[in-house]
Amino acid sequence: MEIHSDFQQKPKIMTNPKSNSSAYWKKNLQTLIFLLAIWFVVSFGFGILLVEPLNNIKVGGYPLGFWFAQQGSIYTFIVVIFIYVVRMNKLDREFDVNED
């Protein structure tokens, strides 16, 4: 019985597991720091530091600074979570540590 090459599993070859692990965690931390910085800017920057200038802009009848302080940071956090999940799934596949 002949097995087609499409169905053969490729052996997992890790040339240097320690450097692979370091590269994985470096990219993971870069992603985490970048996403937390975005969340910080939106929640603290727009919601507290820049609230007065943003309040001059109205969105749906409400001042934009108020919106960022009350809802914008929460919505941003939810979007950041989804971006993190997608990015980590991609990173897991790139370094062949996914659960599939």
Side-chain angles (χ1 to χ4, degrees), residues 40-98:
F40 176 79
V41 167
V42 170
S43 62
F44 189 74
F46 294 164
I48 297 173
L49 297 178
L50 299 174
V51 71
E52 293 301 323
L54 290 174
N55 278 339
N56 295 326
I57 303 168
K58 303 283 186 198
V59 172
Y62 295 100
L64 186 60
F66 173 78
W67 185 85
F68 270 113
Q70 299 301 315
Q71 296 166 343
S73 62
I74 295 170
Y75 291 150
T76 302
F77 184 64
I78 292 170
V79 169
V80 162
I81 290 171
F82 282 107
I83 292 171
Y84 182 74
V85 167
V86 169
R87 173 69 178 135
M88 287 309 299
N89 284 336
K90 181 181 172 188
L91 198 62
D92 286 350
R93 283 190 301 275
E94 179 183 332
F95 285 90
D96 202 24
V97 292
N98 55 341

Side-chain angles (χ1 to χ4, degrees), residues 25-41 80 83-84 87-88 91:
W25 283 109
K26 182 179 179 184
K27 285 190 176 187
N28 182 2
L29 289 176
Q30 287 173 344
T31 300
L32 190 62
I33 290 169
F34 177 75
L35 292 174
L36 285 176
I38 289 173
W39 187 43
F40 176 79
V41 167
V80 162
I83 292 171
Y84 182 74
R87 173 69 178 135
M88 287 309 299
L91 198 62

